[in-house]
Amino acid sequence: MPASKFDPARLRALSLDLDDTLWPIWPTIRRAEAVLHDWLERHAPRTARLVDLASMRRLREQVAGELPGLAHDLSALRREAIRRALVSAGDDPALAAEAFDVFFAERQRVECFDDVKPALERLASRYTLVALTNGNADLERIGLAPWFRAGFVGACEVGIGKPDARIFQVACERLGCAPDDVLHVGDDLLLDVAGAQGAGLHAGWIERVPADAPAPQRLAWHGRDLLALADRLGA
């Protein structure tokens, strides 16, 4: 059921996407992949020689295509890609767990957009926040967990990702709110905006990079950064 007309005075909580909403994800992934490759050069040199950064990425995409049941679990997909690379090179596949841990630790070294921390401070002072993501960020390691009092709802945990309505429903349950009392904000028009609207939440689109697509109808908010959202909500 679609949300009613957006009224900031009725809003009780926010769900926020993470990757490309709070930080740019691809610089982080590229750096983490490079750190992983450096580790492989030291601990599994045959794999490092056989599988460069580009071919490791292609292997991960191949794994994702072959194992659609793991689409909600990016960590499992990455770990399996590393395992297959090790096997193909004749290295010990048991190294995949440690290699993934190296990648995962670097993946948490994100650089938040400048507006994020001051905006979270303002928004969390007025609303309960929950993180809602298809990714595998760790808010504790990143240092943003204190602002998300309702915690983290991830596709890996739920077993399904955005835009499926079920993950939005879990977020609302975690918040203790009806969908109509929640505003979800994210950067992706399908995963975040259409997904939230389909689940009965209000939807906000953060357009950090100008998009060719027009703004969808029924948006509760549309802006370039989260400080603009805080201003809009009077937080």
Side-chain angles (χ1 to χ4, degrees):
M1 181 176 180
S4 62
K5 184 177 180 180
F6 181 63
D7 178 3
R10 289 190 53 199
L11 186 65
R12 295 180 54 201
L14 298 174
S15 63
L16 297 176
D17 175 53
L18 299 179
D19 295 335
D20 287 329
T21 294
L22 303 191
W23 52 74
I25 187 55
W26 281 110
T28 304
I29 295 299
R30 286 192 289 268
R31 189 182 65 246
E33 290 174 338
V35 168
L36 168 61
H37 196 266
D38 289 345
W39 186 91
L40 291 171
E41 287 181 334
R42 297 191 301 276
H43 300 278
R46 285 178 295 188
T47 302
R49 287 194 298 270
L50 180 68
V51 182
D52 61 14
L53 293 175
S55 55
M56 179 66 86
R57 189 169 294 172
R58 289 194 296 271
L59 179 56
R60 184 200 168 282
E61 292 170 354
Q62 178 185 331
V63 171
E66 293 177 2
L67 301 174
L70 290 181
H72 63 281
D73 191 340
L74 299 185
S75 293
L77 289 174
R78 179 76 62 176
R79 194 179 296 109
E80 175 61 13
I82 296 170
R83 189 194 68 79
R84 291 190 185 188
L86 290 163
V87 169
S88 67
D91 283 321
D92 183 359
L95 290 171
E98 186 177 354
F100 173 77
D101 288 345
V102 168
F103 169 87
F104 190 71
E106 190 66 23
R107 184 259 184 270
Q108 309 311 319
R109 293 184 57 243
V110 302
E111 295 184 12
C112 292
F113 295 110
D114 290 343
D115 58 286
V116 167
K117 291 182 180 179
L120 289 178
E121 184 77 34
R122 290 170 58 182
L123 292 169
S125 70
R126 182 162 182 174
Y127 304 103
T128 303
L129 306 185
V130 67
L132 180 56
T133 179
N134 286 0
N136 56 358
D138 185 326
L139 291 179
E140 290 287 350
R141 293 198 200 190
I142 291 169
L144 300 183
W147 287 300
F148 288 87
R149 294 202 308 275
F152 177 97
V153 174
C156 181
E157 166 196 355
V158 178
I160 195 76
K162 298 177 292 183
D164 193 289
R166 286 171 288 179
I167 193 170
F168 291 94
Q169 292 163 0
V170 171
C172 290
E173 291 167 5
R174 191 73 55 82
L175 290 163
C177 294
D180 198 34
D181 296 329
V182 180
L183 170 64
H184 176 73
V185 176
D187 69 290
D188 192 288
L189 288 175
L190 172 61
L191 302 182
D192 294 303
V193 174
Q197 291 178 334
L201 287 72
H202 300 285
W205 180 29
I206 186 163
E207 189 184 0
R208 291 195 180 274
V209 178
D212 294 332
Q217 296 182 344
R218 298 190 294 116
L219 277 179
W221 173 79
H222 175 207
R224 298 290 190 196
D225 61 50
L226 292 179
L227 287 173
L229 175 62
D231 291 341
R232 170 71 177 89
L233 298 178

